[in-house]
Amino acid sequence: MTTPVLEARGLVKLFGRVVGLNAVDLALYQGEILAVIGDNGAGKSTLIKCLTGALIPDQGSILVDGAEVRFRRPQDARSAGIETVYQVLAVAPALDIASNLFLAREIRRKGFPGKVLRMLDMGEMRRQSAEHIKTLGISTLQNIGQTVETLSGGQRQAVAVARASAFGSRVVILDEP
């Protein structure tokens, strides 16, 4: 039997006396698409936030490739190859598409300009961004240098999804983007 890429066992999350999650189990396998559906207030976003370090479960365990992990913040999940697009999009409107895709993962120029002056390699970031967007089949984003604030809501969602898929080496989680 194959080991799940991401697994939750008995997750419980309480908000005072309100039960956000009550002993939730799930297993996600490599190459699988898993949908979690339910009414408003059923705990879908709470589950996603627990799986990605935005919330810490009160009980239960999370496993990545069969090994138990404790995500204390979203960066911990990212380090494990888990990227998330939350309902509220985390994009920087004043920056261009390429800068948003590489936000907090910028590529620096080689040699002295990158190491000492910390100059960014915008050309390489734009090239890779265009490649990621093309690979995803997103045809509504034509100009990688366009600022996100000039995009429609759907185009902004496409930028957030492209960023997650570009860096989600293990799992990409979409919370109603």
Side-chain angles (χ1 to χ4, degrees):
M1 184 173 189
T2 308
T3 302
V5 175
L6 180 63
E7 186 175 6
R9 295 181 185 162
L11 288 188
V12 173
K13 181 62 185 170
L14 304 172
F15 299 98
R17 295 171 64 188
V18 176
V19 178
L21 298 177
N22 187 9
V24 174
D25 295 326
L26 72 77
L28 176 68
Y29 295 88
Q30 184 174 355
E32 182 178 42
I33 297 172
L34 176 66
V36 177
I37 59 173
D39 292 334
N40 287 339
K44 300 178 300 292
S45 292
T46 300
L47 172 62
I48 287 168
K49 288 176 183 176
C50 286
L51 292 173
T52 61
L55 289 175
I56 299 171
D58 296 310
Q59 292 178 22
S61 56
I62 299 170
L63 297 91
V64 174
D65 292 326
E68 189 169 347
V69 294
R70 297 215 183 271
F71 298 142
R72 299 289 180 209
R73 55 197 182 121
Q75 292 85 344
D76 297 339
R78 285 188 193 119
S79 294
I82 300 169
E83 287 288 330
T84 308
V85 180
Y86 296 100
Q87 281 180 320
V88 178
L89 298 177
V91 292
L95 298 179
D96 64 20
I97 293 169
S99 296
N100 266 276
L101 258 67
F102 281 92
L103 198 58
R105 295 180 177 104
E106 291 85 358
I107 298 174
R108 301 215 185 275
R109 289 187 184 179
K110 294 183 182 354
F112 181 81
K115 290 182 181 179
V116 177
L117 302 178
R118 302 181 56 82
M119 294 177 71
L120 302 181
D121 190 341
M122 289 304 300
E124 182 60 17
M125 289 191 304
R126 285 187 174 133
R127 186 194 69 71
Q128 287 187 28
S129 295
E131 187 177 302
H132 290 304
I133 287 168
K134 181 180 177 185
T135 299
L136 288 173
I138 300 170
S139 60
T140 60
L141 300 175
Q142 300 296 319
N143 179 2
I144 296 299
Q146 185 175 358
T147 58
V148 169
E149 65 192 351
T150 64
L151 300 176
S152 71
Q155 289 171 317
R156 290 177 190 207
Q157 288 173 332
V159 170
V161 170
R163 179 179 56 218
S165 69
F167 295 102
S169 61
R170 315 262 330 128
V171 176
V172 174
I173 298 175
L174 305 175
D175 186 9
E176 298 183 43

